[in-house]
Amino acid sequence: MRRHLSTTTGPQRLFYGAAAGAAVAVALLPVPMSGMARGLAAWCAGVVVHQLLAWWLACTFDARRTRERAQSLDQPNVLILVSMLLVVAMSVVAIAMLLQQVKDLSGWVRAAHIALGLVALVGSWLTMHTIYAFHYAHRYYIDQRDGTPDGGLDFPGKDDAPDYFDFLYYSYVIGMTSQVSDVQATSKEMRRITLLHSMLAFAFNMLVLALSVNVVAGAV
């Protein structure tokens, strides 16, 4: 089982997450709740599975295993990456629509809807930047294999090769600040990926701010 988990690709993690989400959606059919709320609950379950698989790899893989895995797996399908980001965007739209509905609710039902929306929002944010972290790791070690000495990213402490946690650090810093910190992009391709990531992160963070203002305004 551990061997299988260590070789899971991005599409496989998405598949496991989708399977978990579908199972939760079916389990919630008898529960009296709106289809949108049921869909968001399923999305949260899928995100939890996806995140557990991704962070398990980050916790158990050192730099050598990270490099071997990144270089042995097929290059991530751009369509899969774009599709996942589209799913994240659609989930944010669903969260916004769900939070609009809380104005007509009260008591614990209203609190439960707000909590579900916030959990789904956090899950969407984590999913976006985790996907990008693994994309950076793959691109970095593929570029090294193809002859780019630094892999397109210059990490401090060059004596230690980066592992998945280093790429999560790079990705999450961009997600929080929409800019790089002490890790520098040194290749055109990596700068383009980072630019697109930064723009998506900025748009997402602005949307989170707008949703937060909306929730506060509806609560008073």
Side-chain angles (χ1 to χ4, degrees):
M1 183 64 177
R2 289 173 61 90
R3 179 178 178 83
H4 173 69
L5 290 177
S6 66
T7 58
T8 54
T9 62
Q12 287 174 324
R13 290 195 301 275
L14 297 180
F15 172 78
Y16 292 142
V24 169
V26 172
L28 290 176
L29 285 177
V31 179
M33 58 192 307
S34 67
M36 185 177 298
R38 187 178 293 109
L40 279 184
W43 165 254
C44 291
V47 165
V48 168
V49 171
H50 180 271
Q51 289 295 303
L52 286 176
L53 289 173
W55 282 90
W56 181 84
L57 288 173
C59 291
T60 57
F61 274 46
D62 57 13
R64 178 185 62 81
R65 296 184 70 191
T66 299
R67 181 181 65 252
E68 292 174 351
R69 182 178 184 277
Q71 292 181 344
S72 64
L73 296 178
D74 291 335
Q75 183 173 353
N77 191 323
V78 175
L79 289 178
I80 294 175
L81 180 63
V82 173
S83 298
M84 191 59 207
L85 295 178
L86 179 61
V87 169
V88 172
M90 293 304 294
S91 72
V92 172
V93 173
I95 294 167
M97 295 177 65
L98 178 64
L99 294 179
Q100 285 289 335
Q101 295 177 356
V102 303
K103 297 178 180 179
D104 302 323
L105 302 175
S106 61
W108 70 268
V109 177
R110 186 172 188 232
H113 275 69
I114 292 176
L116 179 60
L118 293 177
V119 170
L121 190 63
V122 171
S124 298
W125 190 89
L126 292 172
T127 298
M128 175 186 294
H129 302 306
T130 301
I131 288 175
Y132 261 106
F134 279 79
H135 189 53
Y136 286 127
H138 180 88
R139 190 68 267 156
Y140 178 90
Y141 281 114
I142 289 296
D143 285 350
Q144 276 198 345
R145 186 190 65 184
D146 294 343
T148 303
D150 59 6
L153 289 175
D154 183 16
F155 287 88
K158 297 181 180 180
D159 294 336
D160 298 322
D163 56 18
Y164 279 127
F165 260 112
D166 293 303
F167 295 105
L168 285 167
Y169 164 74
Y170 180 71
S171 182
Y172 275 65
V173 167
I174 292 175
M176 290 182 284
T177 66
S178 298
Q179 63 181 358
V180 299
S181 57
D182 52 341
V183 183
Q184 301 298 316
T186 60
S187 69
K188 285 186 177 180
E189 182 174 3
M190 201 64 81
R191 282 194 290 270
R192 289 167 181 164
I193 296 174
T194 302
L195 174 62
L196 176 59
H197 184 193
S198 300
M199 293 171 64
L200 288 172
F202 180 79
F204 195 101
N205 292 341
M206 289 299 99
L207 183 56
V208 169
L209 179 61
L211 289 174
S212 301
V213 171
N214 184 50
V215 171
V216 173
V220 296

